[in-house]
């Protein structure tokens, strides 16, 4: 049984029967049949369905936002924005997939030689709860436009969202079964990936989950793309606009109530402006509106589950026990729901829990650095490498640090890290491998086939 529970109240919303093994096999067979037909359709045909899906998302944005709010506590206004962003990624690939996957002439000693792109087949997507629509659509839009079929194993607490996504594609005119939600637990992922008709997998989630999928896929020689955890460092240099930097940093830290892989996690601030930055950050974090996620004014809702809130609070308490100072928040509410207040820890060092582990909630860890070189060293002293940012009024300096010094897949200057259909997205080190979005994302699940035509024989 898969259970959806409202994290703001603790009440059970819905329960769903899991698919049996036999049902899963039948759904995979059906998806394969649909994909074999779909791969032979034109880009124009696929684009029409993706554009219709975008229209569905926009028309149903209130309904979908309310569903996300109910299942994982997302503030209602954020939910509408998420649905609209999914529409954007559908239209982006509808507009550009054909040119992205066009044949590429190759210069070789033959009459004709070129690179041709063909879909791999069925791709299994193992997705998390924190952005229950966006995480799926940023995979599904390019995968379907490339001619693949999709199997979704979503987080069990957002099963309603998983079903709604499938409904969106069917309503848009996609062949029923081409995109299929599998109602299964995590313990069934390995058996699905082992199915001969499943050719690849993509996972967004924890390092242990990614390692498990990668191990299975490696044994089976199947392609994977992994987007895992992050402990994104934001470096604030002495010449930064400190107040503007603090505002941007707080905004990033509190995105999705702090539950985002690319939310700012560690703030590495040079000594010269450290105290000013802390004061400004505390003010910005303290101004957040925490409360009922169905209210338009709410900017920080509950965490997705009480167990996640309790784990985060444990990380905060252990960090304080290691010598960190609590400047804001840090008290676990006693009322119903998985709420946690915006929290600021200072005096954090890379060895502490708050410096070494991912804090997946509204908790900011501030680390003091001597100078630029020390700040870069501290920023890179992590096993993660998803996103990073640097704040400085010298844009050439900032670009140099972002491009050449920070060890992350996405590095921004004077802005918070965000995903964009036009930009490659992914990480290094324990944050995973491969890229989503842009032309690189659509290229992950295609066969890049070399075609050579020689002279006639005889």
């Amino acid at each position: 049984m898969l259970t959806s529970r409202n994290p703001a109240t603790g009440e059970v919303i819905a329960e769903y029967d899991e698919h049996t093994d036999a049902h899963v096999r039948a759904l995979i067979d059906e998806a394969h049949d649909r994909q074999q037909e779909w791969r032979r359709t034109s880009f124009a045909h696929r684009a029409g369905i993706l554009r219709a899906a975008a229209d569905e998302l926009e028309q149903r944005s209130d309904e979908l936002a309310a569903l996300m709010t109910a299942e994982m506590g997302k503030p209602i206004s954020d939910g509408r924005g998420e649905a609209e962003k999914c529409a954007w990624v559908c239209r982006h690939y509808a507009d550009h997939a054909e040119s992205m996957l066009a044949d590429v002439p190759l210069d070789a000693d033959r009459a004709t030689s070129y690179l041709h792109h063909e879909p791999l087949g069925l791709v299994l997507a193992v997705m998390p709860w924190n952005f229950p629509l966006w995480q799926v659509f940023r995979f599904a839009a390019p995968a379907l436009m490339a001619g693949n079929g999709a199997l979704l194993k979503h987080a069990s607490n957002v099963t309603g969202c998983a079903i709604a996504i499938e409904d969106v594609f069917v309503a848009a005119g996609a062949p029923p079964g081409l995109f299929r939600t599998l109602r299964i637990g995590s313990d069934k992922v390995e058996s699905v990936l082992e199915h001969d008709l499943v050719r690849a997998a993509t996972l967004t989630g924890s390092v242990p989950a990614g390692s498990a999928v990668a191990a299975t896929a490696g044994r089976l020689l199947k392609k994977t793309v992994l987007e895992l955890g992050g402990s994104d460092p934001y470096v604030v240099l002495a010449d930064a606009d400190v107040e503007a930097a603090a505002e941007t940093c707080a905004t990033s830290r509190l995105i999705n109530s702090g539950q985002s892989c690319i939310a700012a996690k560690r703030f590495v601030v040079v000594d010269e402006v450290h105290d000013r930055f802390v004061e400004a950050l505390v003010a910005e974090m303290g101004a957040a509106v925490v409360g009922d996620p169905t209210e338009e004014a709410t900017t920080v809702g509950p965490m997705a589950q009480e167990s996640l809130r309790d784990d985060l609070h444990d990380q905060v308490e252990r960090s304080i026990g290691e010598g960190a100072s609590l400047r804001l928040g840090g008290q676990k509410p006693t009322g119903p729901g998985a709420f946690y207040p915006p929290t600021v820890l200072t005096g954090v060092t890379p060895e502490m829990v708050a410096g070494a582990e991912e804090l997946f909630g509204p908790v900011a860890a501030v680390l003091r650095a001597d100078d630029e070189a020390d700040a870069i060293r501290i920023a890179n002293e992590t096993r993660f490498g998803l996103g990073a940012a640097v704040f400085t009024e010298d844009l050439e300096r900032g670009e140099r640090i972002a491009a050449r010094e920070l060890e992350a897949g996405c590095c921004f200057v004077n802005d918070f890290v965000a995903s964009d259909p036009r930009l490659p997205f992914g990480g290094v080190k324990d944050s995973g491998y491969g890229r989503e979005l842009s032309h690189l994302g659509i290229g992950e699940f295609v066969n890049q086939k070399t075609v050579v035509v020689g002279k006639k024989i005889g």
Side-chain angles (χ1 to χ4, degrees):
M1 187 73 69
L2 305 177
T3 302
S4 292
R5 187 183 298 272
N6 188 326
T9 65
E11 298 173 345
V12 173
I13 301 168
E15 294 182 328
Y16 304 88
D17 290 332
E18 293 189 41
H19 287 145
T20 65
D21 293 347
H23 195 177
V24 169
R25 289 193 295 271
L27 293 176
I28 293 173
D29 289 342
E30 179 191 29
H32 172 71
D33 291 343
R34 299 292 82 76
Q35 189 272 330
Q36 289 297 294
E37 301 164 359
W38 178 255
R39 71 189 299 273
R40 301 187 186 283
T41 60
S42 67
F43 280 107
H45 176 78
R46 298 174 206 163
I49 290 174
L50 264 291
R51 292 190 182 99
D55 292 341
E56 284 287 326
L57 286 161
E58 290 176 339
Q59 292 164 10
R60 297 170 60 177
S61 62
D62 286 342
E63 168 196 339
L64 294 169
L67 180 57
M68 287 184 274
T69 298
E71 287 200 312
M72 54 75 54
K74 187 181 297 288
I76 193 74
S77 60
D78 291 355
R80 289 194 202 93
E82 183 168 334
E84 291 163 3
K85 190 172 184 178
C86 293
W88 178 22
V89 77
C90 287
R91 292 198 178 101
H92 177 76
Y93 281 106
D95 292 342
H96 300 290
E98 185 170 10
S99 61
M100 289 174 175
L101 296 180
D103 291 345
V104 179
L106 301 175
D107 186 11
D109 187 19
R110 297 292 190 277
T112 302
S113 54
Y114 57 94
L115 189 67
H116 179 67
H117 304 92
E118 290 191 329
L120 292 183
L122 294 184
V123 183
L124 170 65
V126 182
M127 293 290 128
W129 47 262
N130 57 333
F131 290 93
L133 264 64
W134 171 244
Q135 304 280 14
V136 177
F137 275 93
R138 76 181 188 192
F139 145 74
L144 294 178
M145 279 302 302
N148 294 299
L151 302 169
L152 171 63
K153 188 282 174 209
H154 218 327
S156 60
N157 60 320
V158 290
T159 300
C161 289
I163 295 170
I165 293 168
E166 184 175 326
D167 289 344
V168 165
F169 281 119
V170 172
L178 177 69
F179 178 99
R180 179 64 75 181
T181 289
L182 304 179
R183 297 203 302 269
I184 58 175
S186 298
D187 59 327
K188 298 296 180 64
V189 169
E190 183 174 9
S191 63
V192 173
L193 190 51
E194 288 175 334
H195 196 293
D196 287 343
L197 296 179
V198 177
R199 302 296 168 80
T202 180
L203 178 143
T204 298
S206 68
V207 173
S211 297
V213 166
T216 299
R219 172 170 56 83
L220 300 168
L221 300 179
K222 295 185 179 183
K223 176 70 182 291
T224 55
V225 169
L226 304 179
E227 191 263 280
L228 309 178
S231 186
D232 289 15
Y234 278 32
V235 173
V236 182
L237 300 178
D239 65 345
D241 182 331
V242 173
E243 283 68 33
E247 180 180 5
T248 302
C249 289
T251 298
S252 178
R253 176 62 287 211
L254 296 178
I255 287 174
N256 202 38
S257 305
Q259 300 167 114
S260 171
C261 294
I262 52 169
K265 309 282 175 46
R266 296 177 297 131
F267 302 95
V268 186
V269 188
V270 298
D271 183 73
E272 188 174 336
V273 295
H274 175 275
D275 293 349
R276 280 179 55 205
F277 175 83
V278 168
E279 292 302 320
L281 181 67
V282 168
E284 293 288 346
M285 295 277 287
V289 180
V290 181
D292 183 350
T294 66
E295 297 290 337
E296 295 290 341
T298 297
T299 56
V300 176
M303 295 183 64
Q305 296 174 354
E306 288 191 10
S307 60
L308 298 172
R309 186 270 310 274
D310 293 345
D311 289 344
L312 180 68
H313 184 59
D314 178 66
Q315 288 176 304
V316 169
E317 291 196 317
R318 284 189 288 139
S319 297
I320 294 171
E322 293 171 331
S325 297
L326 182 64
R327 293 294 303 271
L328 178 73
Q331 303 299 317
K332 187 169 71 172
T334 57
F339 291 92
Y340 200 74
T343 297
V344 177
L345 296 173
T346 60
V348 176
T349 63
E351 298 79 18
M352 294 180 182
V353 169
E357 298 180 5
E358 180 177 27
L359 301 177
F360 211 67
V363 178
V366 183
L367 297 85
R368 188 189 296 264
D370 295 335
D371 51 24
E372 175 188 310
D374 192 41
I376 292 169
R377 176 190 64 79
I378 294 171
N380 291 334
E381 197 170 339
T382 175
R383 64 192 181 105
F384 297 108
L386 189 55
V390 57
F391 293 83
T392 172
E393 290 295 276
D394 184 340
L395 295 184
E396 290 185 3
R397 181 190 192 189
E399 184 176 357
R400 170 184 58 79
I401 292 171
R404 301 183 182 181
E405 303 291 346
L406 295 175
E407 298 171 355
C410 309
C411 295
F412 285 47
V413 179
N414 292 341
D415 203 352
F416 59 84
V417 178
S419 57
D420 181 317
R422 299 163 295 186
L423 303 176
F425 181 82
V428 295
K429 300 194 284 190
D430 280 8
S431 290
Y433 53 74
R435 290 296 178 265
E436 296 179 282
L437 304 175
S438 80
H439 66 289
L440 295 183
I442 200 170
E444 290 284 5
F445 296 118
V446 295
N447 172 17
Q448 301 185 52
K449 179 188 290 185
T450 298
V451 179
V452 177
V453 181
K455 63 182 180 180
K456 291 184 178 180
I457 299 176

